Coordinates of all heavy atoms in Angstrom, one line a residue:
A118 N -2.6 71.2 78.7 CA -1.9 71.2 77.4 C -2.8 70.7 76.3 O -2.8 71.3 75.2 CB -0.6 70.4 77.5
L119 N -3.5 69.6 76.5 CA -4.4 69.0 75.5 C -5.5 69.9 75.2 O -6.1 69.9 74.1 CB -4.8 67.6 76.0 CG -3.8 66.5 75.9 CD1 -4.2 65.3 76.6 CD2 -3.6 66.2 74.4
D120 N -5.9 70.8 76.1 CA -6.9 71.8 75.9 C -6.4 73.1 75.4 O -7.2 74.0 75.2 CB -7.7 72.0 77.3 CG -8.5 70.8 77.7 OD1 -8.8 70.0 76.9 OD2 -8.7 70.7 78.9
G121 N -5.1 73.2 75.0 CA -4.6 74.4 74.5 C -4.4 75.5 75.5 O -4.4 76.7 75.1
E122 N -4.3 75.2 76.8 CA -4.2 76.2 77.8 C -2.9 76.2 78.6 O -2.9 76.4 79.8 CB -5.4 76.0 78.8 CG -6.8 76.1 78.0 CD -8.0 75.9 79.0 OE1 -7.8 75.3 80.1 OE2 -9.1 76.1 78.6
L123 N -1.8 75.9 78.0 CA -0.6 75.9 78.7 C -0.2 77.2 79.2 O 0.6 77.3 80.2 CB 0.6 75.4 77.8 CG 0.8 73.8 77.8 CD1 2.0 73.5 76.8 CD2 1.1 73.3 79.2
D124 N -0.7 78.3 78.6 CA -0.4 79.6 79.1 C -1.0 79.9 80.5 O -0.6 80.9 81.1 CB -0.9 80.7 78.1 CG -2.4 80.5 77.8 OD1 -2.9 79.4 77.8 OD2 -3.0 81.6 77.6
R125 N -1.8 79.0 80.9 CA -2.4 79.2 82.3 C -1.7 78.4 83.4 O -2.1 78.4 84.5 CB -3.9 78.8 82.3 CG -4.7 79.6 81.3 CD -6.2 79.3 81.4 NE -7.0 80.0 80.4 CZ -8.3 79.9 80.4 NH1 -9.0 79.1 81.2 NH2 -9.0 80.6 79.4
V126 N -0.7 77.6 83.0 CA 0.0 76.7 83.9 C 1.3 77.3 84.4 O 2.1 77.9 83.6 CB 0.3 75.4 83.2 CG1 1.0 74.4 84.1 CG2 -1.0 74.7 82.7
E127 N 1.5 77.2 85.7 CA 2.8 77.5 86.3 C 3.3 76.3 87.1 O 2.7 75.8 88.0 CB 2.6 78.7 87.2 CG 4.0 79.2 87.8 CD 3.8 80.5 88.7 OE1 2.8 81.1 88.5 OE2 4.8 80.7 89.4
L128 N 4.5 75.8 86.7 CA 5.0 74.6 87.3 C 5.7 74.9 88.6 O 6.3 76.0 88.8 CB 6.0 73.9 86.3 CG 5.4 73.5 85.0 CD1 6.6 72.9 84.1 CD2 4.3 72.4 85.2
Q129 N 5.6 74.0 89.5 CA 6.2 74.1 90.8 C 7.4 73.0 90.9 O 7.1 71.9 90.6 CB 5.2 73.8 92.0 CG 4.0 74.8 91.9 CD 4.4 76.2 92.1 OE1 5.3 76.5 93.0 NE2 3.8 77.1 91.3
W130 N 8.5 73.5 91.3 CA 9.7 72.6 91.4 C 10.3 72.5 92.7 O 10.3 73.5 93.5 CB 10.8 73.2 90.4 CG 10.3 73.2 89.0 CD1 9.9 74.3 88.3 CD2 10.3 72.1 88.1 NE1 9.5 74.0 87.0 CE2 9.8 72.6 86.8 CE3 10.7 70.8 88.2 CZ2 9.7 71.8 85.7 CZ3 10.5 70.0 87.1 CH2 10.0 70.5 85.8
D131 N 10.8 71.3 93.0 CA 11.7 71.1 94.2 C 12.9 71.9 94.0 O 13.5 71.8 92.9 CB 12.0 69.6 94.4 CG 12.5 69.3 95.7 OD1 13.5 70.0 96.1 OD2 12.1 68.4 96.4
R132 N 13.3 72.7 95.0 CA 14.5 73.5 94.8 C 15.8 72.7 94.7 O 16.9 73.2 94.3 CB 14.6 74.5 96.0 CG 14.8 73.9 97.3 CD 15.1 74.8 98.4 NE 15.2 74.1 99.7 CZ 16.3 73.5 100.1 NH1 17.3 73.4 99.3 NH2 16.3 72.9 101.3
R133 N 15.8 71.5 95.2 CA 17.0 70.6 95.2 C 17.4 70.2 93.8 O 16.7 70.2 92.9 CB 16.7 69.5 96.1 CG 16.6 69.8 97.6 CD 16.2 68.6 98.4 NE 14.9 68.1 98.1 CZ 14.4 67.0 98.6 NH1 15.1 66.2 99.5 NH2 13.2 66.6 98.3
T134 N 18.6 69.7 93.8 CA 19.2 69.0 92.6 C 18.7 67.6 92.5 O 18.7 66.9 93.6 CB 20.7 69.1 92.5 OG1 21.1 70.5 92.4 CG2 21.3 68.3 91.4
A135 N 18.4 67.1 91.4 CA 18.2 65.6 91.2 C 19.3 65.1 90.2 O 19.6 65.7 89.2 CB 16.8 65.3 90.7
L136 N 19.8 63.9 90.5 CA 20.8 63.3 89.7 C 20.6 61.8 89.5 O 20.2 61.1 90.5 CB 22.2 63.6 90.4 CG 23.5 63.1 89.6 CD1 24.6 64.1 89.9 CD2 23.9 61.7 90.1
A137 N 20.7 61.4 88.2 CA 20.5 60.0 87.9 C 21.8 59.3 87.4 O 22.4 59.9 86.5 CB 19.4 59.9 86.9
V138 N 22.1 58.1 87.9 CA 23.2 57.3 87.4 C 22.6 56.1 86.7 O 21.9 55.3 87.3 CB 24.1 56.9 88.6 CG1 25.2 56.0 88.1 CG2 24.6 58.1 89.3
V139 N 23.0 55.9 85.4 CA 22.5 54.8 84.6 C 23.4 53.6 84.9 O 24.7 53.8 84.8 CB 22.4 55.2 83.1 CG1 22.2 53.9 82.3 CG2 21.3 56.1 82.9
M140 N 22.8 52.4 85.1 CA 23.6 51.2 85.2 C 23.3 50.4 84.0 O 22.1 50.1 83.6 CB 23.2 50.4 86.5 CG 23.3 51.3 87.7 SD 23.0 50.4 89.2 CE 24.4 49.3 89.3
A141 N 24.3 50.1 83.2 CA 24.2 49.4 81.9 C 24.7 48.0 81.9 O 25.5 47.6 82.7 CB 24.9 50.2 80.8
A142 N 24.2 47.2 80.9 CA 24.6 45.8 80.8 C 26.0 45.7 80.2 O 26.5 46.6 79.5 CB 23.6 45.1 79.8
P143 N 26.7 44.6 80.5 CA 28.0 44.4 79.9 C 27.9 44.3 78.4 O 26.9 43.8 77.8 CB 28.4 43.0 80.5 CG 27.2 42.3 80.9 CD 26.2 43.5 81.3
G144 N 28.9 45.0 77.7 CA 28.8 45.0 76.2 C 28.1 46.2 75.7 O 28.2 46.4 74.5
Y145 N 27.4 47.0 76.5 CA 26.7 48.1 76.0 C 27.7 49.2 75.6 O 28.7 49.4 76.3 CB 25.7 48.7 77.1 CG 25.0 49.9 76.7 CD1 23.9 49.9 75.9 CD2 25.4 51.2 77.2 CE1 23.2 51.0 75.6 CE2 24.7 52.3 76.9 CZ 23.6 52.3 76.0 OH 22.9 53.4 75.7
P146 N 27.5 50.0 74.5 CA 26.3 50.0 73.7 C 26.4 49.1 72.4 O 25.4 48.9 71.8 CB 26.3 51.5 73.2 CG 27.8 51.9 73.2 CD 28.4 51.1 74.3
E147 N 27.6 48.5 72.1 CA 27.7 47.8 70.9 C 26.9 46.5 70.9 O 26.1 46.2 70.0 CB 29.2 47.5 70.6 CG 30.0 48.7 70.2 CD 30.6 49.4 71.4 OE1 30.3 48.9 72.6 OE2 31.3 50.4 71.2
A148 N 27.1 45.7 71.9 CA 26.5 44.4 71.9 C 26.1 44.0 73.4 O 26.8 43.2 74.0 CB 27.4 43.3 71.3
P149 N 25.1 44.6 74.0 CA 24.8 44.3 75.4 C 24.3 42.9 75.6 O 23.6 42.3 74.8 CB 23.6 45.3 75.7 CG 23.0 45.6 74.3 CD 24.1 45.6 73.4
R150 N 24.8 42.3 76.7 CA 24.4 41.0 77.1 C 23.2 41.1 77.9 O 23.1 41.9 78.9 CB 25.5 40.3 77.9 CG 25.3 38.8 78.2 CD 26.4 38.2 79.0 NE 26.3 38.6 80.4 CZ 27.4 38.7 81.2 NH1 28.6 38.5 80.7 NH2 27.3 39.1 82.5
L151 N 22.2 40.3 77.6 CA 20.9 40.3 78.3 C 20.6 39.1 79.1 O 21.3 38.1 78.9 CB 19.8 40.5 77.3 CG 19.9 41.6 76.2 CD1 18.7 41.6 75.3 CD2 20.2 42.9 76.9
G152 N 19.7 39.2 80.1 CA 19.3 38.0 80.8 C 20.0 37.8 82.2 O 19.7 36.8 82.9
D153 N 20.8 38.7 82.6 CA 21.5 38.6 83.9 C 20.5 38.9 85.0 O 19.7 39.8 84.9 CB 22.7 39.5 84.0 CG 23.8 39.0 83.1 OD1 24.3 37.9 83.3 OD2 24.3 39.8 82.3
A154 N 20.6 38.1 86.1 CA 19.7 38.4 87.3 C 20.2 39.6 88.0 O 21.4 39.9 88.1 CB 19.8 37.2 88.2
I155 N 19.3 40.4 88.5 CA 19.6 41.7 89.2 C 19.1 41.6 90.6 O 18.0 41.2 90.9 CB 18.9 42.8 88.5 CG1 19.2 42.8 87.0 CG2 19.2 44.2 89.1 CD1 18.2 43.7 86.1

């Protein structure tokens, strides 16, 4: 891409689905509490 050659690239993908679950702090999004041990 930095060489301007993206037209030569073909991406390879895992056929499976990927899924992400976000774990957020208490009070998020207005006033999240920070510093809790995980």
